[in-house]
Amino acid sequence: MGRQPILEDFQESLDDGPGAPNLLQLITGARGVGKTVMLNELGLVAQANGWVVIHVTAGAGMLDRIAYKARLAKSNLGSPAAGKTTTILNLTTPLGGVSREFVRGEESSFSWAEDVSELLDILVPRETGVCITVDEIHSLDDEQMHALAGESQMLIRQGYPIAMIMAGLPKAVEDLLAGDRSPTTFLRRAERQVLKDVPVSDVAESFEEIISNGGRSITEELAYECARATNGYPFMIQLVGYHTWRQGRSGPVTRQHVGDGILAAQARLGALVHEPALVDLSEVDRTFLVKMAEDEGSSRLSDIAKRLGKTSQYASVYRDRLLKAGMIRSAGFGKMSFATPYLREYLRDHAAHLMAQEED
Ligand SMILES: Nc1ncnc2c1ncn2[C@@H]1O[C@H](COP(=O)(O)OP(=O)(O)OP(=O)(O)O)[C@@H](O)[C@H]1O
Ligand SMILES: [Mg+2]
């Protein structure tokens, strides 16, 4: 789905209020495809509607950060920061009413949902709500996932105006969904949005538009050349646009500008995306990728295993890890390919260095 319809559907759900489908969303997509940007955009939509927006990224203490931000918002709204010590959440289930009491003890950890529901109590009369975005959902540990899912579900069932938008890498999210524990049910209920690369023709059009808005010009052909070089990959769109533009300060964008701009953009992509991603991997993971880069197109597991001098079974462990890390994607027919543009070229250029590390 494109970006605009996601924003429009979210607006519609904010208008419809509690129970509307797009208040609970799970966004997936490759590295750098724009998930974090999308969470921010959705947050802006919610904010424009008077909702309180809480952005968090998965990691230690995430639930506490949600609670803290909720308390902060509450005090900014002019309500005493020290709220009730006890909150009763009344929840209606098909089996009848259940009520659950949260007591904020000194030692015991209390639920983040307590702070959020106190904030919601202030927002409900104003006909707004709370929008929580959780980035990198795949790196939440089991305990936090459980608490997030369980308490969110309770707030939602109570009819509170709460939006929960989560984002993560596709394979890692699939693994979360494949589980049979209770958080899975919550995640499965979320509207799925898969962010894809932007169509190259759209990229070309936006290059033409941006450049002419900047008081310069570019031919349709050169705009297409720039667009093709991005592969529709959002991060690369940004880089190609920026580096092509700065090759010349004024006047029409020339073929030379485009060629140099694309090269500069590719170099920056390597430094900003590929290099840090590779550093996070194990040595065998990196070697696996270097072996994949020997292929022109997609790769076969058995070929990679052969190049590694290992069995397919051994290689499949690394393939699965790399899928989960969002470095590669399945290309159908049991083949796999790189998940980000120019990673193949980067690996070829740096193979010696990457392999040397492996042989240390
Ligand atoms: N729709 C878009 N149009 C143009 N550029 C975009 C768009 N979305 C994202 N970008 C650019 O691409 C870059 C990567 O986006 P973002 O950080 O949101 O990706 P991500 O999917 O969260 O990546 P990761 O999986 O690494 O967290 C951003 O720096 C942003 O400038
Ligand atoms: Mg991100």
Side-chain angles (χ1 to χ4, degrees):
M1 196 192 242
R3 273 58 170 169
Q4 200 55 35
I6 297 181
L7 297 174
E8 284 164 10
D9 289 352
F10 185 53
Q11 176 62 58
E12 207 168 285
S13 284
L14 289 172
D15 291 338
D16 293 346
N22 292 296
L23 295 181
L24 181 60
Q25 294 191 47
L26 178 53
I27 299 171
T28 56
R31 275 174 186 285
V33 83
K35 299 180 292 299
T36 303
V37 167
M38 182 51 93
L39 289 180
N40 289 331
E41 295 277 323
L42 289 167
L44 289 175
V45 172
Q47 209 170 28
N49 285 263
W51 286 49
V52 168
V53 180
I54 297 179
H55 291 296
V56 288
T57 300
M62 186 196 84
L63 298 173
D64 292 339
R65 288 200 300 282
I66 296 179
Y68 171 75
K69 289 182 177 189
R71 285 199 298 278
L72 206 62
K74 200 173 71 156
S75 67
N76 286 343
L77 287 169
S79 162
K84 296 170 278 180
T85 50
T86 308
T87 303
I88 311 235
L89 286 183
N90 293 306
L91 109 104
T92 313
T93 71
L95 301 173
V98 175
S99 84
R100 173 165 171 178
E101 194 177 19
F102 294 116
V103 180
R104 184 185 296 189
E106 276 178 17
E107 305 276 306
S108 71
S109 65
F110 57 89
S111 163
W112 61 276
E114 184 188 3
D115 287 298
V116 171
S117 69
E118 284 179 13
L119 174 59
L120 282 161
D121 287 335
I122 299 172
L123 296 172
V124 168
R126 304 175 185 208
E127 296 188 346
T128 68
V130 175
C131 169
I132 301 176
T133 77
V134 182
D135 207 354
E136 318 263 345
I137 185 87
H138 55 268
S139 42
L140 263 192
D141 65 34
D142 276 5
E143 199 181 324
Q144 291 194 79
M145 188 66 234
H146 216 274
L148 181 74
E151 309 297 335
S152 302
Q153 227 153 348
M154 204 151 31
L155 292 171
I156 291 168
R157 286 202 205 125
Q158 276 184 287
Y160 271 127
I162 179 164
M164 174 79 63
I165 321 282
M166 300 161 284
L169 291 170
K171 180 60 170 66
V173 166
E174 285 316 320
D175 289 354
L176 269 181
L177 287 169
D180 53 6
R181 293 159 306 126
S182 55
T184 308
T185 323
F186 171 71
L187 287 176
R188 285 212 191 103
R189 224 167 267 152
E191 285 294 314
R192 297 292 300 275
Q193 312 284 7
V194 181
L195 287 186
K196 296 249 162 65
D197 292 339
V198 183
V200 168
S201 55
D202 292 0
V203 179
E205 264 174 46
S206 80
F207 275 147
E208 279 185 77
E209 196 181 309
I210 291 166
I211 287 171
S212 78
N213 286 345
R216 294 174 65 188
S217 64
I218 185 168
T219 63
E220 200 180 318
E221 190 204 341
L222 288 177
Y224 251 92
E225 196 169 323
C226 287
R228 266 195 305 274
T230 70
N231 284 284
Y233 183 60
F235 195 40
M236 195 60 181
I237 298 173
Q238 199 87 355
L239 290 172
V240 169
Y242 174 75
H243 287 282
T244 301
W245 176 271
R246 69 189 294 266
Q247 297 300 318
R249 303 238 169 266
S250 57
V253 173
T254 65
R255 180 164 296 279
Q256 181 76 35
H257 293 157
V258 169
D260 293 346
I262 291 172
L263 284 178
Q266 286 168 350
R268 291 304 288 156
L269 184 73
L272 295 172
V273 175
H274 301 326
E275 193 184 314
L278 289 166
V279 164
D280 286 346
L281 301 175
S282 80
E283 290 172 355
V284 181
D285 288 331
R286 281 197 291 266
T287 310
F288 187 107
L289 293 172
V290 170
K291 298 296 179 195
M292 263 182 75
E294 288 177 22
D295 290 315
E296 280 311 322
S298 49
S299 305
R300 224 177 268 288
L301 184 66
S302 55
D303 291 340
I304 305 304
K306 217 174 289 166
R307 289 172 205 161
L308 287 167
K310 303 283 185 187
T311 63
S312 287
Q313 203 179 4
Y314 173 95
S316 72
V317 173
Y318 293 91
R319 176 200 53 198
D320 293 348
R321 283 162 50 118
L322 290 164
L323 280 168
K324 194 165 176 170
M327 298 300 293
I328 62 175
R329 58 176 147 220
S330 153
F333 304 104
K335 295 176 116 190
M336 59 219 163
S337 58
F338 293 113
T340 44
Y342 302 108
L343 178 55
R344 186 194 319 279
E345 290 78 359
Y346 184 89
L347 289 161
R348 286 178 180 173
D349 289 349
H350 298 81
H353 157 71
L354 292 164
M355 300 288 284
Q357 283 188 349
E358 193 254 341
E359 278 154 15
D360 274 349

